[in-house]
Amino acid sequence: AKAKGKNNYQFFSDDMSLIVSRKIALENELRRALTNKEFLLHYQPQFNAHTGEITGMEALVRWQITDGEIISPANFIPLAEETRLILPLGEWVLNTACEQVKIWHDAGHSHLKLAVNLSPLQFLDDDLLDMVGRALDQTGFPASSLELEITENVAVDDIDLALLRMQALKELGVNLAIDDFGTGYCSLSYLKKFPLTNLKIAQSFVRDMAINPHDEALVEAMVLIGHKLNMSVIAEGVETEEQLALLKELGCDEIQGYLFSKPLTTDHFSQLLSKEFAT
Ligand code: C2E
Ligand code: CA
Ligand code: CA
């Protein structure tokens, strides 16, 4: 029995070391990719639900590995968080997005808002305010056009710290959105204290709302909560006309999803803008 136990241990340990060494390899890849500038941004347009006009966009990071293949963020953001590489990566994302959208502003589309995702680690990092301030200074992008997306979970460990961070960001003049609303762990009593300007209804509720009356009821309630708390409400993951019609009926302000557009490369987004505003 002892021998068997030892073997089991041995097996387990080999397995673990394999996982660990794979992780280290991937971590080194990430580090190298940052130095080699292998990341790029796609921009998914957001629309006014009632007029159909483009109101802005969400910047979404991609990893372009050398042979042209593109890796989606779901496959590297978690490791980037774990290794804290999300800090330099996130700074690159913010700088690059502000720089690009400034170009669109200067080309005559100055009404466009830019939404950028902040991971919990970034949000709680001591350098956050300086980092955001630097990005705005260096690019000349107006703070009032920037919207930082955070998730409810940033507030789980330390509500007071989260509140202070949000207030400081507001003082910089940037807007704050709560992303994936309804999927996290934030109670409504805290939500009302946070200086949020935008509420993003999570994709999972939107997906099922046309087939499940419970999801429709929840979306309706989320729109009401958002509006009562003076937030603009956006639904993401809108894929069908049916979902769009329901969301408009429920008073949702903005829409983002494949029904209108997938996330676009910089060039394709420029083309969309020139088509949209051609007279
Ligand atoms: P998210 O912030 O919830 O972003 C929305 C995701 O939904 C994007 O996936 C987008 O491509 C996808 N999406 C948009 N419309 C539709 C639709 O109609 N149907 C469906 N099925 N999906 C839709 P993506 O780009 O793969 O990003 C996944 C997640 O990775 C993001 O979820 C976000 O949490 C994270 N992420 C992306 N870029 C960044 C970044 O720069 N920083 C950080 N910290 N996280 C990021
Ligand atoms: Ca987001
Ligand atoms: Ca989201």
Side-chain angles (χ1 to χ4, degrees):
K2 210 177 176 188
K4 197 178 168 213
K6 201 178 165 196
N7 280 337
N8 278 342
Y9 176 74
Q10 191 63 43
F11 175 73
F12 180 69
S13 150
D14 280 352
D15 212 34
M16 284 303 286
S17 70
L18 192 65
I19 291 171
V20 169
S21 64
R22 272 203 196 125
K23 218 171 189 173
I24 291 171
L26 193 57
E27 180 181 345
N28 287 334
E29 277 296 291
L30 266 179
R31 218 179 281 281
R32 193 190 46 72
L34 256 173
T35 324
N36 290 357
K37 308 206 177 333
E38 288 179 17
F39 294 98
L40 57 101
L41 295 181
H42 282 180
Y43 299 90
Q44 187 173 34
Q46 302 173 327
F47 297 84
N48 180 306
H50 306 285
T51 66
E53 286 162 316
I54 300 182
T55 52
M57 76 292 285
E58 178 176 3
L60 295 156
V61 71
R62 268 90 187 102
W63 180 4
Q64 173 141 40
I65 52 178
T66 27
D67 60 3
E69 195 187 329
I70 287 185
I71 302 184
S72 96
N75 294 323
F76 62 86
I77 293 284
L79 185 70
E81 287 241 353
E82 212 177 299
T83 55
R84 301 182 68 85
L85 285 169
I86 192 71
L87 296 175
L89 176 60
E91 180 161 13
W92 177 86
V93 167
L94 185 64
N95 275 300
T96 307
C98 287
E99 201 178 347
Q100 179 55 52
V101 183
K102 175 78 165 82
I103 293 173
W104 287 323
H105 274 196
D106 291 347
H109 310 291
S110 58
H111 64 289
L112 296 176
K113 292 178 303 146
L114 162 66
V116 175
N117 293 286
L118 273 194
S119 85
L121 199 81
Q122 281 179 286
F123 180 78
L124 296 172
D125 183 50
D126 287 334
D127 187 43
L128 174 73
L129 291 166
D130 288 343
M131 192 278 279
V132 174
R134 279 197 302 273
L136 295 171
D137 283 350
Q138 282 167 18
T139 61
F141 191 72
S144 59
S145 300
L146 180 63
E147 186 180 306
L148 295 174
E149 297 192 359
I150 55 178
T151 56
E152 292 164 58
N153 298 340
V154 298
V156 168
D157 288 333
D158 191 338
I159 295 270
D160 295 326
L161 177 64
L163 189 55
L164 282 174
R165 277 288 142 85
M166 289 184 215
Q167 282 160 347
L169 284 169
K170 287 297 290 181
E171 272 162 37
L172 275 182
V174 305
N175 301 295
L176 289 176
I178 189 106
D179 198 4
D180 302 330
F181 183 68
T183 64
Y185 299 98
C186 190
S187 79
L188 293 177
S189 58
Y190 289 118
L191 186 73
K192 72 170 185 205
K193 290 189 193 160
F194 293 155
L196 299 161
T197 42
N198 300 72
L199 185 155
K200 295 193 87 174
I201 299 176
Q203 211 158 294
S204 51
F205 299 105
V206 175
R207 189 183 53 222
D208 298 330
M209 67 180 297
I211 47 172
N212 184 339
H214 289 141
D215 283 287
E216 187 190 338
L218 286 174
V219 170
E220 183 175 11
M222 289 187 239
V223 174
L224 282 171
I225 288 170
H227 286 168
K228 284 281 178 201
L229 298 177
N230 283 321
M231 291 187 254
S232 177
V233 178
I234 180 164
E236 57 182 350
V238 181
E239 295 182 351
T240 69
E241 291 287 352
E242 210 179 350
Q243 291 164 349
L244 173 66
L246 264 173
L247 287 162
K248 281 165 81 167
E249 200 181 302
L250 298 177
C252 190
D253 305 293
E254 284 173 88
I255 301 289
Q256 180 183 343
Y258 294 169
L259 177 63
F260 296 95
S261 172
K262 293 203 166 187
L264 302 172
T265 62
T266 306
D267 284 350
H268 284 134
F269 201 95
S270 294
Q271 283 168 27
L272 178 74
L273 286 179
S274 49
K275 258 189 266 162
E276 178 89 359
F277 295 96
T279 39

